[in-house]
Amino acid sequence: MALKGRHWLGLWLLAALAALSLVIWRQTDGLRAARALAEARERHASLEGTRSELQRRIRDAESRAVLIPRAQQRLGLRQPADTEIILLPVPSGGGGGGAPGPGGAGGRLRRAPGAGGGRGGGWGLFCDGRAQVGGGLEPQRS
């Protein structure tokens, strides 16, 4: 059975309708994706703002202006006088001779937690893990 003219016309119209429906579906899907992308960008901007606010709060909480009063109140610590601070030279990493470190022959210095150029600003050295040498707070003496 051969297709007549009106059947060909209906077939072509059906094909055009299917192609247009596909284009409309693709456009709708693209708009949905664009909305989701805009929402994700807004959320990202909001989270960046929250992040910067939290980082500011952390910097404020780590400042000496906040930490020293808290350490004095909660832990009974005080800031040492200048005469109570002993600065020890750190031997160079050359492996050469030199005097033995504190703690006896072969004693080694190691960095205290938070020591160095970190954000906290706290520094000091522990001698054999027992005594802190350097700046910082120490218990109040009665």
Side-chain angles (χ1 to χ4, degrees), residues 100-119:
R108 297 191 178 259
L109 294 175
R110 65 180 177 86
R111 287 196 182 278
R119 290 185 311 172

Side-chain angles (χ1 to χ4, degrees), residues 43-101:
R43 176 100 171 112
H44 184 265
S46 172
L47 289 174
E48 282 292 325
T50 303
R51 178 178 180 227
S52 64
E53 170 64 20
L54 291 174
Q55 285 177 336
R56 183 194 62 78
R57 289 176 58 190
I58 289 171
R59 278 192 308 274
D60 290 347
E62 287 179 339
S63 71
R64 291 179 68 89
V66 172
L67 288 179
I68 289 175
R70 282 188 183 171
Q72 288 171 342
Q73 287 175 344
R74 294 181 185 174
L75 303 174
L77 299 179
R78 66 175 179 82
Q79 200 154 8
D82 290 342
T83 58
E84 296 175 322
I85 298 175
I86 300 171
L87 300 176
L88 297 176
V90 177
S92 65

Side-chain angles (χ1 to χ4, degrees), residues 88 100-112 125-133:
L88 297 176
R108 297 191 178 259
L109 294 175
R110 65 180 177 86
R111 287 196 182 278
L125 297 173
F126 282 94
C127 301
D128 294 331
R130 289 187 297 263
Q132 180 176 359
V133 180

Side-chain angles (χ1 to χ4, degrees), residues 7-60:
H7 292 123
W8 277 112
L9 179 64
L11 190 61
W12 280 110
L13 285 174
L14 191 62
L17 180 64
L20 291 174
S21 297
L22 182 66
V23 168
I24 291 171
W25 172 79
R26 190 181 65 186
Q27 290 291 335
T28 304
D29 195 45
L31 287 174
R32 192 176 307 123
R35 277 191 213 108
L37 179 61
E39 289 174 6
R41 285 183 176 156
E42 287 176 19
R43 176 100 171 112
H44 184 265
S46 172
L47 289 174
E48 282 292 325
T50 303
R51 178 178 180 227
S52 64
E53 170 64 20
L54 291 174
Q55 285 177 336
R56 183 194 62 78
R57 289 176 58 190
I58 289 171
R59 278 192 308 274
D60 290 347

